[in-house]
Amino acid sequence: MSDSASLKIGDKESGYPIRSGTIGPDVIDIRKLYAETGCFTYDPGFTSTASCDSALTYIDGDEGVLLHRGYPIGELAEDSSFMEVSYLLLNGELPSKDELDSFTYTISRHTMLHEQLMQFYRGFRRDAHPMAIMCGVVGALSAFYHDSTDIADPDHRRISSHRLIAKMPTIAAAAYKYSVGQPFVYPDNSLSYTGNFLKMTFGVPAEPYEVNPVVERALDRIFILHADHEQNASTSTVRLAGSSGANPFACIAAGIACLWGPAHGGANEAALNMLREIGTPDKIPHYIERAKDKNDPFRLMGFGHRVYKNYDPRATVMQKTVREVFDALKVSDPVFEVALQLEEMALNDPYFIEKKLFPNVDFYSGVILSAIGFPTTMFTALFALARTVGWVAQWNEMISDPGQKIGRPRQLYTGPTQRPYVKIGDR
Ligand code: ACO
């Protein structure tokens, strides 16, 4: 490919450099476009816009490839751990055994919340959505950890990143405990990151809690699958919030708010609700017809993706994990059968084939989480817990970039042109 692109507006031509990454599409660097032509580019939803340089995660949506720092997600999900993937995302390389032990130890030393922060929970209604609580409590961390909010100081950035990764399970588990009226369970640092989260969620002070290793592994894998996903809506929100110099806790709270939406992280909750509503395989054709009907707002939740125009590689791992969890817990849930048959019918339907709509990560994750015992309202909170590592890694990458600027998109103005103000008595 050529190393520059030219743009002709009328008889004036301007040239723009083309930049190449290590893999993936080249980008046309149009930073001087406005200065040279007086025009903006127009790209609502950023379908053709790269907003930053990033060395963290690569997706090839046509081929169904997802790499973290070059490593395929399938291999990481199979052989790695969430702590190891967290280290990888934050530091760029896989850790040695000592580095991993030291990182895991450091994270475990930040799992407790300031005791006063626990008072926050009591201000929420018992039926508050866990994501509402997460937005509030994570944002409030900035009021408690002043000693790590100087974003110009790499040590502060590292400590706040560790704090966020470490405290997120405690915050999410406490949101759950509050909603079911049970006492908060404090962290147990003798357990793994994921085992500790399971204990804080399902344990009670009155009884010993045994972590089921199959469930622990399955949930850890779910965390790996959700750890990062390039410049998605919530990550871009974190970057945009961070670009103004906002503190990391506030930025992650912004990411949580964005993730909550049903077109993003809220889709796993919506997907399971949909599968339950369908109920039995005989109803599937009706719902497929509804999804295809342009006059019906219904969509197959857990299907389709902005970037993947092929099977989401995370959905493949999820489907396998459902079986493992069902076998280990000896549960059977008719929604799994509905999910399998719905997937098969949709993948053979010309509408879904033509639009390249495949199951995404959320299609099966709800089925697993439900089998483990999480209520649907917790699904997105679990997603937020895992994605926190991606958010902080992306935020750190952005802040460390010397060319970083405040994010400030422009617009195509379609409102009234200038007109004189008319006093209220004269209208
Ligand atoms: N069911 C039925 N039709 C769909 C679906 C679906 N799930 N997804 C997309 N389509 C159709 C659209 O109606 C549209 O049709 P048209 O071209 O005739 O108008 C076409 O496919 C393209 O859809 P867009 O919404 O333009 O695609 P976009 O890239 O903007 O949206 C999105 C992607 C939001 C994920 C969409 O596929 C969707 O709403 N899916 C359901 C929600 C979901 O599962 N979200 C989770 C995403 S993964 C994640 O966030 C972790």
Side-chain angles (χ1 to χ4, degrees), residues 30-269:
I30 48 103
R31 278 177 289 182
K32 294 205 175 114
L33 179 81
Y34 177 59
E36 287 179 359
T37 67
C39 290
F40 298 138
T41 55
Y42 181 69
D43 186 19
F46 309 120
T47 53
S48 298
T49 297
S51 59
C52 59
D53 289 31
S54 182
L56 277 148
T57 293
Y58 173 73
I59 304 172
D60 182 334
D62 293 327
E63 296 299 322
V65 170
L66 167 59
L67 310 175
H68 290 321
R69 303 281 193 186
Y71 297 102
I73 189 67
E75 291 177 27
L76 293 172
E78 194 63 37
D79 296 320
S80 185
S81 67
F82 182 65
M83 276 296 95
E84 192 177 22
V85 172
S86 300
Y87 182 98
L88 173 69
L89 285 168
L90 286 170
N91 299 294
E93 295 297 337
L94 287 170
S96 65
K97 166 106 183 43
D98 284 353
E99 285 167 336
L100 180 59
D101 288 348
S102 160
F103 177 72
T104 307
Y105 177 83
T106 303
I107 295 295
S108 76
R109 266 24 200 193
H110 287 292
T111 49
M112 282 176 56
L113 292 181
H114 192 292
E115 195 57 24
Q116 231 174 312
L117 199 58
M118 303 309 286
Q119 313 281 345
F120 251 68
Y121 286 83
R122 301 185 208 288
F124 286 96
R125 281 171 52 137
R126 289 270 175 202
D127 59 357
H129 195 289
M131 287 296 276
I133 299 181
M134 301 276 288
C135 285
V137 175
V138 173
L141 290 175
S142 33
F144 286 84
Y145 299 102
H146 302 288
D147 59 340
S148 63
T149 50
D150 177 1
I151 64 161
D153 182 335
D155 279 341
H156 278 220
R157 294 206 297 270
R158 187 175 41 76
I159 295 167
S160 58
S161 301
H162 291 166
R163 279 183 168 149
L164 277 156
I165 294 167
K167 293 184 197 308
M168 209 53 97
T170 316
I171 292 171
Y176 171 71
K177 284 299 192 199
Y178 185 71
S179 72
V180 291
Q182 290 182 1
F184 299 130
V185 175
Y186 284 78
D188 178 347
N189 292 343
S190 68
L191 297 173
S192 71
Y193 183 87
T194 303
N196 176 42
F197 174 61
L198 282 166
K199 183 177 174 190
M200 288 190 292
T201 307
F202 297 119
V204 285
E207 287 175 17
Y209 180 81
E210 283 255 336
V211 177
N212 178 324
V214 177
V215 171
E216 182 184 20
R217 178 74 194 114
L219 191 58
D220 200 72
R221 196 180 285 157
I222 290 177
F223 290 164
I224 293 173
L225 296 178
H226 286 90
D228 191 45
H229 211 229
E230 207 223 62
Q231 308 309 320
N232 56 83
S234 55
T235 301
S236 300
T237 301
V238 169
R239 279 187 178 258
L240 197 55
S243 77
S244 73
N247 75 70
F249 304 108
C251 296
I252 301 307
I256 294 172
C258 177
L259 185 76
W260 193 359
H264 192 7
N268 54 11
E269 183 177 344

